[in-house]
Amino acid sequence: MNTIIGKEENALFEKGAIYDCVIKGEINEQLYYKVYGDEFTLSCTEKEFHQNFLIIKHKKTNEGK
């Protein structure tokens, strides 16, 4: 996933790289994803996430303990 500003192109997320991700549910039952890159974080909807990323491992948190 690249961004172009003026004549400069920067890679925000590299294809095949592994990034941390947090999935959050909202009141309206819609899921939102936050992907943590090396220099940038990306917030997106479930549809946008699945168009660009693939979940390869799910890690449970210690919430509620």
Side-chain angles (χ1 to χ4, degrees), residues 9-46:
E9 183 173 355
N10 294 308
L12 301 179
F13 296 93
E14 297 285 336
K15 184 175 184 177
I18 298 173
Y19 300 101
D20 291 328
C21 176
V22 174
I23 304 168
K24 295 183 179 183
E26 293 292 327
I27 295 171
N28 61 1
E29 303 290 326
Q30 201 168 16
L31 294 178
Y32 288 91
Y33 294 71
K34 188 160 195 171
V35 182
Y36 296 89
D38 296 333
E39 295 184 40
F40 302 95
T41 51
L42 172 70
S43 295
C44 58
T45 65
E46 185 174 18

